[in-house]
Amino acid sequence: MTSSAPSITITPADSTPTHPAPTFTLPTPPAAPARYKKPNYNVVHALPLPLTTVPLPPLIPHNPLSLLHIIIAYLFPGTTSHPSPLHVGAFHASTRAIHVTDPQSIKAFWEHGFFGKGSLSRSEPTWVIRKRRALGVIGQNEALTSEEVTMRRREERKEFKRERARAEKERREKQLAEEGKIVRGPDDDQEKEQRDSAAAASSSSKSITFATVELPPRRRSPERPVVEVEDLEHLQLTLEESFFLSFGLGVLQIKDSKTDEIIPQKDLLSMFRCQSYFPPRTPDMLQPDDPFLLNYVVYHHFRSLGWVVKSGIKFAVDYLLYNRGPVFTHAEFAILVLPAYSHPYWDHDRVRKEEREKKPWHWLHCINRVSSQVKKTLILVYVEVPPPLEKTGAEDNVPKMLARYKVREVALRRWLVSRNRD
Amino acid sequence: MASQWGVVEPFPIYLVKSRYFLYDANVVSHVRASHRMCGCLTGTLPQIPQQNVFLGLPLELMTEEAALLVEKGAGYIVNDIQAHSQGLKSMLEADKAAYLEAREAESIREMQALQKAAEERRKAFRTPKPASLKDNDGEEEETGEEGKIRDGEEDKVGATVFETDTAKTKLSNAVDPAPPSTLRYYPVPATSEALYHALPTSPGLLEARVLEPAPSETSYPLYKHLHEHNYFLSPGLRFGCQFMAYPGDPLRFHSHFVVTGLGWDEEIEMRDVVGGGRLGTGVKKAWMVGGENKDKPGEVRTFCVEWGGF
């Protein structure tokens, strides 16, 4: 079947070379989507963590003064790696999260390490930008947020599919008419014309309503309203993220949202462990396989290997691993945290051995299918749970306690005998 | 009570290594038509086991299917290995001799048929086809010499074949009435059913009404519930669920639900709800979970989850 018929309206894009897909001629052709220029993410997200490091001056062997430089720079560093004062977040038991409201801290946490999530946004806190665009304070294509980019892409795809279906139908009808399978009388032609004109009218009226909603012309006039939109959004950090920022990096102080007092570092771990249950447990009921501990061990493990770790709840896994960050690439790996009770201490614990450790096969197939649908490699991370500590108070030594956990990784892929045969 | 396939209920369901099988094609058709159970064809050819696209008998039943058939009284479980050895042991000497004789007779009959076929082939090859030659006459005159050359070659080939054949038959006649070129093989019955006939009343076999392995407590009530509502259920392991629910025969319909059974008070992780929702919606089906009320046996509640993706 050839596409030489004039009614088949697939034509190359109207002389815009940047347009990726062929468009169709329409009564009201859609404006070619203006490609929005992204900010230079390599510059914005240059630091992998919210810490500033300054390299020591170079050592020049034949210049003894350079050694002096190094000593001075080492003993009296000009800048500290940590921000001063430290970032502050407030712990809310109701959302089981740390809320960060200071714009400077939000910026630091998001741009340097992609910590947290905007409370009113998909990921980066961008609610204020979208609100300002809706009110006409900024233009339609200024500083597009990731949510808006996604929405536009979906619209474009929907439109493309609609047009493709229409062209397909037209071609089919024409072919049938040529083959004499549909008899098209003069009445039919008239009817068709009427239908066409009606469709054109409806589509054009549709596009007008779109235009009034999407491009309010009076908003874009010179007297742009100067409305200051108050930013009502805050950054939410998960318990694992905030413990990493507080214990691992030491850049975050956490205060209680009720009493407004800073929670001392040594109380944080047991508090987070209690909060990881629902309803929260008391400290004397804590176990070595608390959900928080298992998750934090895995979170810390991958963060210290340089991965950007984000929550994977939307893909039915525990974590997603990004190579440099979500703005650069898609996540490559999906992490599933599984407890392993291989220590002899757990041998007689039936509940743990048989209920928590064993999962049905169909469950694994379900998770694996979902993650291969989104082209991620599933990694099962087994955390070897140590026996409980005998000495009371030994839990205060957090690094020592965390060192008792071991992590094993198993990559999983769908492998079909008949498809993978050479 | 015999169905249109000549199946009398209860029919045997064979248990081999904790799997349930049906060997008889008639029983398979009967189960599909009257009990809405499709099972899974599992048999391959021993010569080409890599070929796993088209499978044949035996049909493997899910544990739930076997349990429901037994519950309805439509089938009974036969422990195949046990019954086989029992049947062999309890065979009388006369039966054994009769069986061996029958086997021998069958083998000889097969061999003779083969021999006869070979003889016929040879005969057809040796004698020139007069009918076809006459037909070709007109052409031959035109082609002239070429046709003659062809004839000559044919004669030669025929002569050599004839010579070797006679030599062989002479040799074989000296040793055995059967020529060694024909393979002698004994037909092996596809099932061992002929060796013994286990009646459902025979002791020891009917005890297997208590299923071992039994279906899981979470999935069986849901299976039964959906089956009662005229759904066809097929195993869904490779789709990430326990069953696929079809509104009619799977050959005619796409499945509507991917089904997972749960306990009444079982805790589900949020992550797994998301996974189920995405799994179903990704293939344009609905993810269904359900379970039986512990306090009211027989009451099954089901829920469907869809991935909205706002």
Side-chain angles (χ1 to χ4, degrees):
Chain A
M1 187 160 300
T2 58
S3 58
S4 59
S7 73
I8 297 163
T9 52
I10 303 172
T11 56
D14 37 5
S15 74
T16 46
T18 52
H19 204 287
T23 55
F24 309 95
T25 50
L26 271 173
T28 50
R35 284 282 161 237
Y36 158 66
K37 204 168 160 286
K38 289 178 191 168
N40 190 350
Y41 290 130
N42 286 320
V43 175
V44 176
H45 304 287
L47 293 179
L49 290 173
L51 297 170
T52 43
T53 50
V54 180
L56 288 174
L59 172 69
I60 304 160
H62 54 266
N63 184 1
L65 274 183
S66 71
L67 193 65
L68 202 65
H69 261 280
I70 291 176
I71 292 168
I72 290 172
Y74 185 75
L75 294 177
F76 312 102
T79 54
T80 61
S81 57
H82 286 58
S84 129
L86 293 179
H87 303 298
V88 179
F91 171 73
H92 287 252
S94 55
T95 55
R96 214 194 273 176
I98 312 295
H99 295 192
V100 180
T101 42
D102 179 35
Q104 285 299 320
S105 306
I106 292 179
K107 195 163 178 271
F109 285 153
W110 176 257
E111 287 185 352
H112 308 143
F114 303 97
F115 291 94
K117 168 194 174 298
S119 59
L120 301 172
S121 310
R122 196 176 65 188
S123 161
E124 187 183 356
T126 52
W127 174 81
V128 71
I129 298 176
R130 280 175 285 140
K131 199 72 203 164
R132 287 172 76 194
R133 192 188 323 285
L135 292 175
V137 181
I138 55 172
Q140 283 304 311
N141 293 320
E142 262 175 74
L144 278 189
T145 63
S146 56
E147 287 94 338
E148 287 162 333
V149 171
T150 310
M151 211 173 72
R152 287 187 184 195
R153 193 177 54 224
R154 284 190 182 154
E155 278 300 317
E156 266 171 43
R157 268 188 208 156
K158 216 184 271 174
E159 184 65 22
F160 173 77
K161 280 184 182 163
R162 227 177 357 239
E163 279 312 309
R164 191 176 55 185
R166 198 177 62 84
E168 187 93 347
K169 194 178 160 217
E170 251 173 41
R171 198 169 56 188
R172 197 169 51 233
E173 270 175 12
K174 188 164 180 296
Q175 183 70 26
L176 284 173
E178 270 174 17
E179 289 171 7
K181 286 181 182 158
I182 317 177
V183 187
R184 200 184 278 168
D187 295 349
D188 281 345
D189 276 344
Q190 273 184 3
E191 239 176 60
K192 193 168 179 291
E193 267 168 36
Q194 278 176 359
R195 234 188 305 138
D196 276 356
S197 59
S202 67
S203 71
S204 62
S205 68
K206 253 184 210 160
S207 66
I208 286 166
T209 49
F210 257 123
T212 46
V213 172
E214 267 197 325
L215 313 160
R218 55 197 166 77
R219 293 288 193 207
R220 307 202 68 181
S221 58
E223 70 261 20
R224 227 181 226 189
V226 191
V227 191
E228 252 332 295
V229 183
E230 193 193 347
D231 195 351
L232 299 176
E233 197 174 18
H234 59 257
L235 189 79
Q236 290 176 314
L237 296 171
T238 63
L239 298 184
E240 290 85 20
E241 280 172 331
S242 44
F243 193 70
F244 180 75
L245 288 170
S246 165
F247 159 77
L249 301 181
V251 293
L252 178 69
Q253 279 186 322
I254 296 168
K255 63 180 184 186
D256 197 332
S257 63
K258 284 178 195 148
T259 57
D260 227 24
E261 278 170 13
I262 300 283
I263 303 169
Q265 170 96 59
K266 64 179 172 55
D267 297 346
L268 270 184
L269 183 63
S270 80
M271 189 184 88
F272 285 171
R273 285 170 72 184
C274 294
Q275 289 291 335
S276 65
Y277 289 98
F278 185 80
R281 287 194 178 176
T282 50
D284 55 305
M285 287 168 72
L286 292 180
Q287 294 289 328
D289 59 346
D290 293 323
F292 175 78
L293 266 183
L294 297 182
N295 285 341
Y296 182 70
V297 166
V298 174
Y299 184 88
H300 193 108
H301 173 72
F302 285 111
R303 270 285 179 186
S304 54
L305 289 173
W307 294 95
V308 172
V309 188
K310 303 289 287 177
S311 164
I313 183 73
K314 58 182 171 175
F315 297 130
V317 289
D318 289 303
Y319 289 115
L320 293 174
L321 293 190
Y322 291 88
N323 200 352
R324 287 174 65 203
V327 299
F328 295 106
T329 48
H330 289 288
E332 279 178 54
F333 298 106
I335 302 292
L336 211 53
V337 179
L338 299 167
Y341 299 96
S342 47
H343 193 275
Y345 176 84
W346 305 111
D347 278 355
H348 303 293
D349 196 331
R350 278 197 63 234
V351 176
R352 283 195 167 80
K353 269 280 189 192
E354 284 174 21
E355 284 174 28
R356 283 200 216 163
E357 208 176 39
K358 282 186 185 167
K359 296 267 191 182
W361 272 110
H362 66 81
W363 170 84
L364 186 68
H365 280 289
C366 171
I367 305 276
N368 195 20
R369 262 188 176 253
V370 169
S371 40
S372 51
Q373 252 174 22
V374 288
K375 296 197 171 60
K376 311 219 182 304
T377 308
L378 185 63
I379 298 193
L380 309 179
V381 179
Y382 290 96
V383 182
E384 292 286 351
V385 181
L389 284 169
E390 279 162 22
K391 273 187 288 175
T392 50
E395 300 204 346
D396 292 345
N397 192 343
V398 178
K400 226 177 194 173
M401 205 194 80
L402 290 179
R404 301 168 73 231
Y405 289 83
K406 285 199 184 84
V407 168
R408 276 186 289 139
E409 297 128 344
V410 180
L412 194 69
R413 212 167 62 106
R414 251 166 85 78
W415 189 83
L416 301 171
V417 186
S418 46
R419 295 251 178 102
N420 294 277
R421 192 186 292 143
D422 286 329
Chain B
M1 180 187 72
S3 69
Q4 55 166 312
W5 287 278
V7 177
V8 181
E9 286 185 356
F11 48 80
I13 300 168
Y14 298 94
L15 172 69
V16 184
K17 292 274 173 196
S18 48
R19 286 157 184 258
Y20 298 99
F21 291 102
L22 295 178
Y23 291 120
D24 191 342
N26 289 329
V27 176
V28 170
S29 313
H30 170 71
V31 162
R32 191 175 186 124
S34 347
H35 297 288
R36 300 192 300 280
M37 288 178 193
C38 299
C40 232
L41 288 168
T42 50
T44 61
L45 298 171
Q47 300 292 322
I48 353 172
Q50 304 100 310
Q51 191 281 110
N52 55 6
V53 183
F54 304 105
L55 297 173
L57 290 173
L59 180 98
E60 187 183 340
L61 290 175
M62 285 191 285
T63 326
E64 288 83 5
E65 286 172 335
L68 193 61
L69 284 175
V70 171
E71 196 183 304
K72 281 179 174 175
Y76 61 96
I77 307 292
V78 174
N79 189 335
D80 208 3
I81 297 169
Q82 200 188 322
H84 183 84
S85 56
Q86 213 175 333
L88 278 183
K89 269 181 214 154
S90 61
M91 241 178 159
L92 294 174
E93 278 305 314
D95 285 345
K96 216 179 269 180
Y99 172 69
L100 286 176
E101 206 170 284
R103 211 167 87 130
E104 187 73 26
E106 174 76 1
S107 154
I108 287 170
R109 213 187 59 209
E110 289 263 351
M111 196 180 65
Q112 279 168 347
L114 260 176
Q115 239 174 327
K116 202 177 159 195
E119 194 66 36
E120 264 170 19
R121 253 201 318 264
R122 210 177 298 145
K123 232 180 249 170
F125 192 61
R126 214 163 22 178
T127 53
K129 294 171 193 165
S132 60
L133 271 181
K134 262 176 200 168
D135 280 347
N136 286 348
D137 265 357
E139 283 172 29
E140 230 176 36
E141 281 171 9
E142 283 169 26
T143 47
E145 274 189 45
E146 274 182 33
K148 274 178 193 168
I149 290 164
R150 236 191 290 143
D151 273 2
E153 277 176 1
E154 219 171 73
D155 277 345
K156 243 189 193 172
V157 174
T160 50
V161 169
F162 179 73
E163 271 169 24
T164 48
D165 266 3
T166 44
K168 265 186 186 171
T169 38
K170 267 179 201 166
L171 258 179
S172 58
N173 276 343
V175 183
D176 197 86
S181 56
T182 47
L183 274 174
R184 178 155 186 187
Y185 78 101
Y186 293 99
V188 179
T191 67
S192 56
E193 203 181 357
L195 293 187
Y196 58 88
H197 190 69
L199 289 168
T201 48
S202 69
L205 296 174
L206 199 64
E207 279 171 30
R209 280 214 164 222
V210 182
L211 276 183
E212 184 61 44
S216 91
E217 284 173 24
T218 53
S219 67
Y220 184 59
L222 183 60
Y223 173 84
K224 212 172 141 189
H225 176 76
L226 289 174
H227 188 266
E228 276 164 11
H229 284 75
N230 291 337
Y231 278 96
F232 275 70
L233 293 145
S234 74
L237 180 59
R238 64 197 180 110
F239 301 102
C241 60
Q242 285 181 322
F243 313 111
M244 309 284 284
Y246 297 81
D249 194 296
L251 289 175
R252 293 178 59 208
F253 293 93
H254 281 294
S255 68
H256 285 185
F257 302 111
V258 285
V259 184
T260 300
L262 293 173
W264 187 249
D265 288 327
E266 194 176 328
E267 283 190 9
I268 327 166
E269 277 188 57
M270 192 62 218
R271 184 187 65 193
D272 298 342
V273 176
V274 173
R278 281 192 91 114
L279 176 83
T281 311
V283 287
K284 297 195 176 162
K285 301 186 199 318
W287 184 64
M288 180 194 274
V289 289
E292 188 184 33
N293 192 342
K294 264 184 194 164
D295 306 325
K296 290 185 208 161
E299 186 201 317
V300 176
R301 292 187 74 187
T302 53
F303 298 90
C304 277
V305 178
E306 239 177 276
W307 177 248
F310 297 105

